[in-house]
Amino acid sequence: MRTKVAIIGSGPAGLLLGRLLECAGIETVILERRSQEYVLGRIRAGVLEQGTVELLDRAGVGEKLHAEGLVHEGVEFCFDGDRHRFNFQELIGRTVTVYGQTEVTRDLMRARDRSGLTTIYEAENVSLHDFDGDAPKVRYVKDGVEHQLACDFIAGCDGYHGVSRASVPGDALRTFERVYPFGWLGILVDKPPVADELIYAHHERGFALCSMRSPTRSRYYVQVPSSDRVEEWSDQRFWDELRRRVDEEAADDLMTGPSIEKSIAPLRSFVAEPLRFGRLFLAGDAAHIVPPTGAKGLNLAASDVAALAEALIEFYAERSSAGIDGYSARVLSRIWKAERFSWWMTSILHTFPDTDPFGRRIQRAEFDYLRTSAAAARSMAENYTGLPF
Ligand code: FAD
Ligand code: DHB
């Protein structure tokens, strides 16, 4: 089999890259280790930056997103029970849209199916070859049979644990990492959200987030130590803990019910450099991880593949390698700014095992500064709604 761009991974990065290239008439094949149902069963991110929404529109997959997504003009921070709203619309004239990653993935899969493009699910033992030359290949096993896919380029969109980054010789790659000593325990519940907008709460007992997927489905998170197991958290224990960490009004208004999903996500900051190795590119979680505070993970995957698609389109249209040569530096500049913002939001909103009384006063001062300075609030709003692609 032969294609122009072999894409490894059918998460949002791989599927959106495939769609953007399809719009420019560039053929792709996607190889995915899991089944389609498994990929759609993962509950992950929920907030789309305005630039991501615009990109999905340009890719012709924005219809359901506009019909069902919830446009939010602001978010709230709650610090030890004091709540403050950041009005993005007023501060910088931008908004975010609440629309689950599962839905984005489903919309992109449907569009790809409709176009009759090839996605090979349950592709086992995917391996990358000869990407340092002009004729890269990807090998994989499907139903016990080994196959080879010849291509012009390989896009590694296979997440943090994928094979693409692992295929790069160790001495060609520099990595930067920070692992946090806590995770987010998240639950999904078929009850209306506690408030119209998201509430990011800081409390001595730890961070909490009140989010949503629709007017009738809520998503809540509490910070838990990395050593906690999901089995240790009954629904009742979760609700009790969440109530303690938010303000009184939210605690009173909270509508609880049986969880329909419950999982713990670890928190990590990670960046690999560079992101191009001959004819192999890394994009999305294969290239970087942000802690979820600030909802940047999915949005960064989108901005990476927007730049990669542009570079590849330029290559095929003009036979110019300027775009692909510049890909890594271009996206890393935006990636590091999102890393900075996610790290900052994580640092002010969480309780760290080594946070001393001085550290807590600094966290409080950050909150008071944000609450009272229009310049600080604008900076927060600009980053939360997304820096330019
Ligand atoms: P992925 O979505 O990880 O997709 C990669 C795909 O590659 C997967 O389908 C995987 O099965 C496939 N793959 C892996 N290895 C191979 C292989 N060897 N061969 C073929 N295919 C392979 N972000 C937020 O902003 N908010 C959140 O609340 C949030 N929660 C998260 C919870 C969890 C548990 C995780 C893991 C991430 C979360 N994120 C969150 C981050 C966000 O979901 C990711 O940034 C986003 O999924 C990145 O998209 P991607 O396409 O790069 O990677
Ligand atoms: C959600 C996740 C986030 O990381 C975030 O910052 C906001 C919302 C969510 O899953 O709804």
Side-chain angles (χ1 to χ4, degrees):
M1 198 172 20
R2 207 202 129 75
T3 192
K4 285 194 165 136
V5 182
I7 299 175
I8 319 298
S10 77
L15 286 163
L16 182 53
L17 177 64
R19 179 68 183 178
L20 293 169
L21 293 177
E22 179 198 345
C23 293
I26 298 168
E27 194 204 33
T28 61
V29 168
I30 298 184
L31 299 176
E32 165 61 49
R33 187 170 55 140
R34 305 286 195 171
S35 67
Q36 190 165 17
E37 299 70 47
Y38 182 95
V39 173
L40 285 172
R42 294 187 295 220
I43 307 295
R44 290 183 171 177
V47 178
L48 304 183
E49 295 173 358
Q50 192 166 317
T52 304
V53 172
E54 286 159 7
L55 181 64
L56 292 167
D57 276 338
R58 282 205 299 282
V61 288
E63 199 180 320
K64 195 159 157 280
L65 154 65
H66 287 290
E68 294 175 16
L70 308 171
V71 176
H72 282 196
E73 295 189 350
V75 292
E76 294 195 78
F77 275 19
C78 174
F79 204 96
D80 289 340
D82 296 337
R83 244 157 89 172
H84 176 78
R85 175 167 189 253
F86 296 91
N87 186 332
F88 300 147
Q89 186 62 40
E90 220 169 84
L91 286 161
I92 53 160
R94 292 177 77 77
T95 61
V96 293
T97 300
V98 171
Y99 190 65
Q101 176 168 334
T102 314
E103 303 311 313
V104 174
T105 307
R106 197 193 316 276
D107 296 347
L108 285 163
M109 281 177 173
R110 280 204 182 128
R112 191 167 175 89
D113 286 349
R114 254 185 260 125
S115 306
L117 297 174
T118 309
T119 306
I120 297 159
Y121 290 100
E122 297 175 276
E124 293 168 60
N125 299 339
V126 172
S127 60
L128 281 48
H129 305 271
D130 305 330
F131 51 81
D132 51 352
D134 287 345
K137 291 160 206 77
V138 182
R139 297 202 185 103
Y140 63 97
V141 174
K142 173 76 184 169
D143 299 328
V145 181
E146 194 175 41
H147 298 267
Q148 178 168 289
L149 174 63
C151 55
D152 298 336
F153 296 99
I154 303 173
C157 300
D158 48 352
Y160 181 68
H161 298 288
V163 65
S164 300
R165 196 181 66 254
S167 305
V168 174
D171 58 359
L173 198 69
R174 186 157 180 218
T175 60
F176 304 81
E177 188 170 35
R178 189 159 289 186
V179 178
Y180 301 87
F182 41 73
W184 281 15
L185 168 66
I187 74 169
L188 196 63
V189 61
D190 271 328
K191 289 284 174 193
V194 68
D196 292 340
E197 293 174 341
L198 272 60
I199 306 173
Y200 288 85
H202 170 93
H203 189 274
E204 205 170 357
R205 295 178 66 89
F207 168 78
L209 170 60
C210 306
S211 181
M212 65 192 74
R213 287 292 177 275
S214 75
T216 56
R217 182 169 280 190
S218 308
R219 179 80 167 152
Y220 295 102
Y221 298 94
V222 293
Q223 172 189 346
V224 296
S226 298
S227 52
D228 274 20
R229 298 285 144 254
V230 73
E231 300 76 40
E232 299 165 30
W233 283 87
S234 65
D235 288 358
Q236 191 56 51
R237 183 177 172 205
F238 181 93
W239 295 122
D240 290 346
E241 190 57 39
L242 179 62
R243 272 202 200 88
R244 284 194 195 106
R245 297 187 187 185
V246 294
D247 62 297
E248 244 179 77
E249 187 191 336
D252 287 346
D253 291 348
L254 189 68
M255 279 199 245
T256 64
S259 61
I260 50 175
E261 196 268 354
K262 193 190 288 170
S263 53
I264 296 182
L267 265 70
R268 182 192 300 273
S269 299
F270 172 87
V271 183
E273 291 184 0
L275 299 176
R276 180 215 174 176
F277 309 89
R279 288 189 167 231
L280 166 66
F281 303 91
L282 302 180
D285 277 16
H288 44 71
I289 296 288
V290 285
T293 338
K296 291 288 159 239
L298 167 60
N299 293 295
L300 263 190
S303 56
D304 285 359
V305 298
L308 182 53
E310 215 176 275
L312 291 170
I313 291 166
E314 182 182 312
F315 176 86
Y316 284 108
E318 301 169 24
R319 286 283 143 191
S320 154
S321 65
I324 57 178
D325 291 342
Y327 167 73
S328 185
R330 177 178 168 191
V331 293
L332 278 166
S333 158
R334 189 175 191 279
I335 289 164
W336 274 111
K337 288 178 214 149
E339 289 284 346
R340 182 204 71 82
F341 181 68
S342 308
W343 160 84
W344 171 79
M345 263 190 75
T346 302
S347 346
I348 62 167
L349 290 168
H350 290 73
T351 298
F352 290 73
D354 57 357
T355 306
D356 56 6
F358 179 86
R360 278 192 55 75
R361 287 287 193 280
I362 293 290
Q363 286 178 318
R364 176 78 210 189
E366 281 274 8
F367 175 70
D368 288 340
Y369 178 49
L370 280 166
R371 210 164 50 148
T372 53
S373 158
R378 263 203 299 280
S379 164
M380 184 278 183
E382 176 182 52
N383 280 278
Y384 192 91
T385 58
L387 296 174
F389 271 30

